[in-house]
Amino acid sequence: MVYRCLGCAETFDIDALHYVCPGCQQVLLIEDLQADRLKDIPGSTWHEIFDYRKMLTEPSLRGIYRYHEFIGPMLPLESIVYLGEGNTPMIQSNKRLQEQVGLTLYFKNDGQNPSASFKDRGMASAFSYLSHMIGTGQLTDVLAICASTGDTSAAAALYAAYLQKDIKSAVLLPHGKVTPQQLSQPLGSGAHVFEIPGVFDDCMKVVEKLSETYHVALLNSKNAWRILGQESYAYEIAQDFDYDLRNVVVVVPIGNAGNITAVMRGFLKFLDAGIIDQLPKIIGVQSEHANPVYRYYREPEPSKRRFEPVSVRPSVAQAAMIGNPVSMPRVIQLVEHYQRRTGEPKVFFVEVTEQEIMDWELLANRNGHIACTHGGECLAGLVQAIKLGHVMADECAVLDSTAHALKFAGFQDYYFGDHFPPEYHVKPKAALKNAPALISPKGVDRLPEAGYPLEDEDLKRFVDCVAIDIASALSLKKR
Ligand SMILES: *Cc1c(COP(=O)(O)O)cnc(C)c1O
Ligand SMILES: [Zn+2]
């Protein structure tokens, strides 16, 4: 395997850490120069291999390395770090939600990864590689460092904590721009946490400076090992659909664009190896408050497209609040490659409003999903893609619920309490609001308190009164 530069196409040995091309500074992807050998095994045999591995208990093959030959064939099993990432469930929406959207619909719950976002997939790959390099004596005393909108740092700190003392971690976060839950994660894992004024793009610049100047291991998705592990998301979807991706539409939110890069690349690699015979449609979604990729593709004429970073505005899809995505050159190349292989437009980009993101997230939650704001963004994006005619009623959508709803509970609080800061432009819909009702029973002399339980008559009266209040609030009928 080698690093391949996306600018000058030069290759570099993987026994050193590279994040950009030493020659032209362009981003890299990791390539298997012997990928052709994967075609020697018939597609149907690969299906059996993956289906069989799904039943194994060998820890190193239980997560993303079920697809070992496609993710890091040169890594010995003992270097593989498994913390429970990957193999996330694909949940079909109930009839009600599917009818409302007008399509067969699944959420793939990547919020059910160990640090509660999809970032664990790429981290498992990057840290397995580091662990291999440490094991063979090629690296010692690694400081893993990353900039983050919250989830990257949570994931990096988790894997680094598992691999201490060989690896320590430091994370850079934009001050006030990650949720309390996300901040608690690297703190809990024992990382050095630095809060920086500005937004993610500013943190990224500092981390790039640090990785150019000092001995650190950069764990952002600029690190091509992250992309490699993230490809497992596409492989799992292929397997979930029994390798038949006709009429399948995969919807992903875009921030730094590592995820959509990996998803396109994963499907292309499975197509090349003969494991699938169709590429699914891909819909990339951005909020109108952080939409550089959407803007680039808004120009229909490829030769006229020009990439311009945008200055981001506050977004509830906070993990995707990125104005200058590091993986943009990867996206541009892969979209071209994807369209070439399909012969027709199969990758689309849409933008949605903050209001739509919140409304659709809450509606998904109301129908039994754990989708976070980014899952809501996917659902809003799908609805938009249907409106624009990119997706038809006979297709079947898989929405990437990239993190767990609990990480972004604060936005739900804003919504329910109707106190969204004005720059978000979100007004709650009455039908989606909710609030706890405090019961203060009348006619009760004493109320229970922690350490001072009620007894006998007091307790009986309290229970009776509270039960009556609740029954009346719910209009319950007597049995
Ligand atoms: C990182 C992240 C994204 C954006 O993914 P990119 O690879 O940066 O495009 C979306 N949702 C969540 C929850 C994330 O953590
Ligand atoms: Zn180069």
Side-chain angles (χ1 to χ4, degrees):
M1 296 186 91
V2 292
Y3 296 105
R4 165 94 61 194
C5 171
L6 270 71
C8 67
E10 192 65 57
T11 61
F12 305 93
D13 212 285
I14 55 163
D15 59 14
L17 291 171
H18 290 298
Y19 312 113
V20 290
C21 172
C24 76
Q25 305 301 309
Q26 190 47 282
V27 285
L28 308 166
L29 281 171
I30 293 167
E31 202 173 291
D32 184 346
L33 293 178
Q34 287 153 22
D36 271 352
R37 82 192 182 289
L38 300 170
K39 294 183 197 163
D40 295 344
I41 297 177
S44 58
T45 306
W46 278 120
H47 300 174
E48 285 173 22
I49 292 172
F50 297 139
D51 292 351
Y52 175 71
R53 280 190 193 152
K54 209 171 174 175
M55 297 185 287
L56 294 181
T57 51
E58 162 60 36
S60 53
L61 296 176
R62 293 192 79 177
I64 62 167
Y65 286 96
R66 184 193 301 162
Y67 313 99
H68 192 199
E69 294 83 351
F70 292 80
I71 291 182
M74 63 337 135
L75 287 181
L77 294 192
E78 62 268 21
S79 296
I80 288 173
V81 186
Y82 173 66
L83 299 186
E85 63 288 332
N87 197 16
T88 55
M90 204 171 74
I91 310 296
Q92 185 165 9
S93 293
N94 63 16
K95 234 178 158 168
R96 196 164 159 260
L97 189 59
Q98 295 192 102
E99 277 173 8
Q100 189 161 352
V101 176
L103 213 62
T104 306
L105 191 73
Y106 296 82
F107 273 101
K108 187 163 168 65
N109 283 345
D110 259 26
Q112 284 174 257
N113 276 298
S115 78
S117 88
F118 77 74
K119 299 293 198 294
D120 297 321
R121 294 176 181 276
M123 289 302 169
S125 161
F127 278 90
S128 294
Y129 167 70
L130 290 177
S131 137
H132 175 58
M133 295 289 279
I134 290 165
T136 53
Q138 290 163 282
L139 277 179
T140 47
D141 288 332
V142 176
L143 179 72
I145 189 163
C146 66
S148 178
T149 52
D151 292 332
T152 299
S153 54
L158 182 71
Y159 286 81
Y162 187 81
L163 291 173
Q164 63 172 311
K165 307 209 174 214
D166 293 319
I167 304 188
K168 293 190 176 60
S169 70
V171 307
L172 276 67
L173 305 170
H175 179 61
K177 304 274 184 328
V178 307
T179 73
Q181 296 83 350
Q182 289 171 318
L183 179 57
S184 78
Q185 292 185 289
L187 289 174
S189 298
H192 296 282
V193 177
F194 298 97
E195 296 187 301
I196 312 287
V199 294
F200 169 83
D201 297 292
D202 303 302
C203 295
M204 193 63 216
K205 287 274 180 275
V206 177
V207 157
E208 282 171 347
K209 175 78 192 176
L210 288 169
S211 66
E212 282 157 21
T213 322
Y214 301 96
H215 277 292
V216 294
L218 177 73
L219 263 304
N220 281 97
S221 55
K222 198 164 202 179
N223 179 333
W225 293 97
R226 286 269 316 277
I227 304 294
L228 204 57
Q230 181 61 30
E231 290 166 13
S232 60
Y233 183 80
Y235 304 151
E236 286 177 18
I237 289 178
Q239 191 172 7
D240 287 339
F241 279 99
D242 216 2
Y243 311 99
D244 178 2
L245 297 175
R246 246 172 320 153
N247 292 332
V248 173
V249 182
V250 176
V251 188
V252 293
I254 305 176
N256 224 359
N259 192 22
I260 191 165
T261 295
V263 169
M264 286 190 285
R265 199 153 181 263
F267 287 123
L268 282 165
K269 277 162 74 173
F270 260 24
L271 184 74
D272 285 342
I275 295 172
I276 54 174
D277 55 14
Q278 295 245 343
L279 289 171
K281 197 176 272 180
I282 309 275
I283 309 283
V285 192
Q286 295 207 292
S287 158
E288 59 177 9
H289 284 188
N291 59 357
V293 183
Y294 168 76
R295 282 165 172 263
Y296 177 85
Y297 284 103
R298 194 166 51 181
E299 166 58 54
E301 177 50 45
S303 63
K304 288 199 193 139
R305 288 178 187 148
R306 276 200 51 238
F307 180 73
E308 283 187 42
V310 305
S311 158
V312 293
R313 287 176 286 155
S315 173
V316 297
Q318 201 171 50
M321 225 176 89
I322 294 172
N324 190 11
V326 159
S327 284
M328 194 62 203
R330 292 167 171 159
V331 172
I332 292 172
Q333 257 189 34
L334 281 160
V335 168
E336 251 180 65
H337 190 172
Y338 211 90
Q339 312 280 43
R340 241 193 340 267
R341 292 301 299 268
T342 51
E344 53 175 335
K346 272 238 173 180
V347 187
F348 299 93
F349 298 87
V350 297
E351 77 170 347
V352 294
T353 64
E354 293 292 310
Q355 180 77 47
E356 289 164 334
I357 297 174
M358 280 311 299
D359 291 345
W360 283 106
E361 182 210 355
L362 294 172
L363 202 70
N365 296 165
R366 284 272 177 119
N367 284 280
H369 291 289
I370 57 163
C372 68
T373 45
H374 311 81
E377 183 178 16
C378 285
L379 186 49
L382 174 65
V383 170
Q384 180 64 10
I386 297 170
K387 247 189 233 159
L388 294 170
H390 299 326
V391 177
M392 310 299 158
D394 62 345
E395 295 182 278
C396 163
V398 183
L399 308 178
D400 194 345
S401 180
T402 47
H404 199 289
L406 291 176
K407 285 208 190 208
F408 301 91
F411 294 118
Q412 177 178 294
D413 291 345
Y414 281 159
Y415 195 98
F416 290 170
D418 195 5
H419 45 73
F420 252 107
E423 57 273 23
Y424 285 90
H425 304 290
V426 177
K427 277 275 151 225
K429 285 203 164 68
L432 290 172
K433 276 169 81 170
N434 206 352
L438 180 64
I439 302 282
S440 2
K442 292 186 187 61
V444 176
D445 308 331
R446 290 189 55 215
L447 295 174
E449 267 181 73
Y452 302 94
L454 297 182
E455 280 168 6
D456 308 330
E457 267 312 301
D458 284 342
L459 181 60
K460 186 175 176 308
R461 172 163 307 154
F462 172 76
V463 169
D464 287 350
C465 289
V466 171
I468 286 169
D469 283 359
I470 290 175
S472 135
L474 296 174
S475 315
L476 299 182
K477 291 197 177 59
K478 275 230 163 94
R479 358 196 272 162

